[in-house]
Amino acid sequence: MDVAFTYDNGYKVFEDVSLTADENKFVAIIGPSGVGKSTLLRILGGFLKPFAGEVKLLGRTITRPTPKIALVHQSIVTFPWMTALENVMLAMKPKRIPKEEALKTAKKALELVGLSGFENLYPKEMSGGMRQRVAIARALAAEPLVLLMDEPFSHLDELTAEGLRHEIYNILFAEESPLKSVIMVSHNLTEVVELADVVYVLNGSPAKVVGKIEIDIPRPRNPQNQKFNEYLDTFYNLLTPIKVRKRE
Amino acid sequence: MNDVIIILATLATTGRVLGLTLLSIVTGWLLAYQAIGSKVFENIYISVIEVFESVPVISFFPVVLLIFVTGVGGPIGTELATDFLVFTAVVWNIWVAAYQAFKTLPREMLEVVENYKFGFWGKMRNVYIPFSLPRIAANLFPSIADAFFYITVSEVFSVGTKQYSAFGIGTLITQFIQEENWGDIAFSLTVLAIVVALVMVGLREYSKYVVARYTVDTDAPIIRRGRINFRQSSRLSSVVSRNPLSKLSRYYPHVRRRRSEKEEEENPKNISKYVWIAFGSVLLILLLYGTVKVVTSTPLSLWHSLMMDTPEVLLDLGYDYVRVGIIVLISLLFSVTLGYALAVYHKLEAVMIPIIQVFSAFPSPAYFPLLFLATSPFIYAAFGPFANELYVLGLGFISTFYYVFYSFWMGVKAMPSEYWELMKNLNLNFFQKMRNIILPATFPYLISGISSTVNSAWGGLAIGEFWTDIIAGKNLYVSHGLMKLIAVATNNGNIALAAWASLIFGIVVVVYSILFTRKMMDLARKKYVAEEGLFAA
């Protein structure tokens, strides 16, 4: 609510940014490079303290990182000395649950992301797409309520990214998934229209929310669809540099 | 009057250390240039560095005493002996750094200078030397710290009843301690502390300047916290640097060899290859000749005596390895705790790192006698027969802990920021973080630091195990220890036993390096490179 962030040197990145992620909603945040999308995501996760405003999860203020809000990084993060299964089991270490139970949960999470049979592979032996699935499985194994995704497909090749995008919504909102909502930052407008229920557009300096668009297209969404393209046009207009728009 | 001499002696010692460091750099450039141009020379060069870098400086003593003191003789012989010992403390890291830099020079940069037909000096001045500066700068700090550490033993040494000394603060401090001249000891240590601090500050500033100006963004490793790549991080990474040397020579065959091949095609009279083959062969023949001569000229009775002494030498080596193991373990526990705290609490880090840098470069043999004098009544009362061991271990620890400490600290700093976010996100406790993420992620750095600590701990043991008249007429002796055996043999003029023990010691150290350190480094490179945990297209 009314979140603002300022660098140590006084540069105001954004101000008065308010957004809501309702239950079972896939929320996307878009904006030009350098507008502070990733910073905003880290504020939502409690990794950074806002200069002003606060973040609330189910009414409780978030002041530091919590497993209830899981972050999936842009650079796909796995630990090379752990197998896929061990990478996922790491999420359950703080819970001190019995090993058997942790093993079961980790296998279930890997199954959910389509990596059954690959449990004993090390990250080096996997493709980028598989590694990102491991990272998502690890995030889900912590049983978060909210998943934050920072451009999760940007380091994958186009075909792999498209494949994972097609599956991700069903994975995240599957019955077995503990998630209540997902917040994703992205540059890729097609990806956003394909996945999001609600899109917040950040622009300006300091950045503000210049648009909140609800995407009302049935799933699975087809990029050839006319409405799909109308949403894309809307976003392009909102993302046009503010100064240029003023001159127009 | 003494004050002026103390200041002059400190400047002389510092000048000696810095001058020999400069000599190491210049020779490092020239030798590295030869190494990348000639496979034969490269193989000889790498093998020599690998062996000598593993062998602690202390094992050079008998050889030095023989060649310089009895061979050259007089003040010049003593000065050369001192210079040689200081040189062996600084040279290996710097030579390795120069070789690695020359070997990994981006092909594009080389192609540009070749395109413009630059000659030897043109290439050196415009490409090779600037490119090598960041790596050399990273190695200057531990090299110079090592050189300062040895000032008291390298400036003053004795063979039999005769003591040799070169002018320097190490000599003066030893003399003042023998005379129990407290005022001059305090003044000497103060002047030395100021000079060491100034040198360290100068090195820090120089490193910052060099990194800012000469670091090349090539394949951009994903390191967000700190700028130091573990492969480039100094003596701290002496193992990382040392072990891949042979591999490096295979991985980067393009650099000058391609040009050499081209030159050979254009100029069939190019004889450099054959010159180096001849040089290598001559060196090998000389080595074999020397070995045969030593073996045959040694009387049979002496060989028999040396063989009889061998079990004792090995037993004493075993004692020393246990001591080194304890020193490493304590250093590890200390470093992991402090290194983690400093990496996490940045304000503490800003204060502590410069303090630790100056402290670690301040030669412990110079102030240790005072520490001994102040604490010995309590320590001997409390620990009885173990007190001497405690002092030796203490000296070993304060002389070497910083290798593990810096390695670990740099490893923690180099961990990807994403790992830190993930640890916070998953709410891992301290032990879970350490066990699952931080220790594995810093494993290559730790192995590197442990190896450096092991190599350097011998220096502490060599000084502490047999320290006659450490202060106020007191002695510090241990019951068993190879360093003591070598020191006693050298003092008694039994150079044969000292050399024999040094040879066995050298062989064991090299075998240890090959069997343990390299295996660990291979494992580290195979499985524990944290940067490989990030996948970024």
Side-chain angles (χ1 to χ4, degrees), chain B residues 63-102:
Chain B
V63 180
V64 168
L65 297 178
L66 265 178
I67 297 173
F68 292 108
V69 179
T70 58
V72 180
I76 296 176
T78 311
E79 179 59 41
L80 286 176
T82 302
D83 291 347
F84 183 78
L85 288 170
V86 174
F87 186 68
T88 54
V90 295
V91 72
W92 311 117
N93 297 325
I94 291 172
W95 280 9
V96 166
Y99 167 72
Q100 278 192 324
F102 281 25

Side-chain angles (χ1 to χ4, degrees), chain A residues 42 47 65-67 69-71 73-82 90-91 93-94 96 122 124 127-128 131 138 142 155-156, chain B residues 222 224 417-419 421-422 424-429 432 435-438 440-441 525-530 532-537:
Chain A
R42 276 160 179 77
F47 298 96
T66 161
I69 305 174
L71 174 66
H73 292 89
Q74 181 178 10
S75 308
I76 301 166
V77 183
T78 51
F79 299 101
W81 48 88
M82 296 180 192
L90 182 70
K93 298 256 180 200
R96 299 182 183 281
Y122 283 93
K124 264 187 186 177
S127 66
R131 288 195 199 193
R138 185 180 54 218
H155 286 304
L156 302 178
Chain B
I222 304 163
R224 307 273 164 75
S417 60
E418 286 84 350
Y419 279 15
E421 285 186 339
L422 206 56
K424 283 183 194 165
N425 201 177
L426 296 175
N427 211 7
L428 299 177
N429 65 33
Q432 287 165 340
R435 191 178 157 202
N436 295 291
I437 296 169
I438 296 174
R525 271 194 295 273
K526 194 174 158 195
K527 199 171 170 184
Y528 294 98
V529 180
E532 287 180 0
L534 296 195
F535 182 89

Side-chain angles (χ1 to χ4, degrees), chain A residues 7-146:
Chain A
Y7 286 139
D8 290 342
N9 62 11
Y11 177 74
K12 204 177 264 187
V13 185
F14 50 75
E15 62 183 1
D16 299 331
V17 171
S18 292
L19 53 88
T20 312
D22 293 324
E23 193 164 346
N24 290 327
K25 293 290 179 193
F26 195 119
V27 178
I29 301 169
I30 59 173
S33 289
V35 83
K37 301 184 293 294
S38 293
T39 305
L40 178 59
L41 205 67
R42 276 160 179 77
I43 288 173
L44 296 177
F47 298 96
L48 292 174
K49 285 194 172 69
F51 185 69
E54 59 182 357
V55 178
K56 291 197 169 188
L57 175 68
L58 299 175
R60 295 183 69 175
T61 304
I62 297 298
T63 54
R64 60 181 169 182
T66 161
K68 294 284 168 207
I69 305 174
L71 174 66
V72 173
H73 292 89
Q74 181 178 10
S75 308
I76 301 166
V77 183
T78 51
F79 299 101
W81 48 88
M82 296 180 192
T83 61
L85 192 65
E86 288 164 345
N87 261 287
V88 178
M89 284 176 73
L90 182 70
M92 283 164 284
K93 298 256 180 200
K95 292 183 178 174
R96 299 182 183 281
I97 55 176
K99 199 179 172 185
E100 284 304 309
E101 198 183 322
L103 205 65
K104 207 171 141 188
T105 311
K107 281 186 176 172
K108 207 170 127 188
L110 282 171
E111 191 185 332
L112 187 65
V113 298
L115 285 181
S116 272
F118 298 100
E119 292 89 348
N120 294 322
L121 289 192
Y122 283 93
K124 264 187 186 177
E125 299 162 338
M126 296 179 182
S127 66
M130 289 167 85
R131 288 195 199 193
Q132 190 60 303
R133 284 171 196 260
V134 171
I136 291 169
R138 185 180 54 218
L140 294 178
E143 299 189 323
L145 298 172
V146 179

Side-chain angles (χ1 to χ4, degrees), chain B residues 113-134:
Chain B
V113 283
E114 290 195 335
N115 209 175
Y116 292 112
K117 293 263 174 208
F118 277 102
F120 168 74
W121 286 115
K123 281 185 200 169
M124 287 293 265
R125 200 161 54 90
N126 294 297
V127 182
Y128 282 111
I129 290 177
F131 186 72
S132 70
L133 286 178

Side-chain angles (χ1 to χ4, degrees), chain B residues 383-394:
Chain B
F383 295 95
F386 298 106
N388 284 348
E389 280 297 337
L390 206 66
Y391 276 116
V392 171
L393 294 175

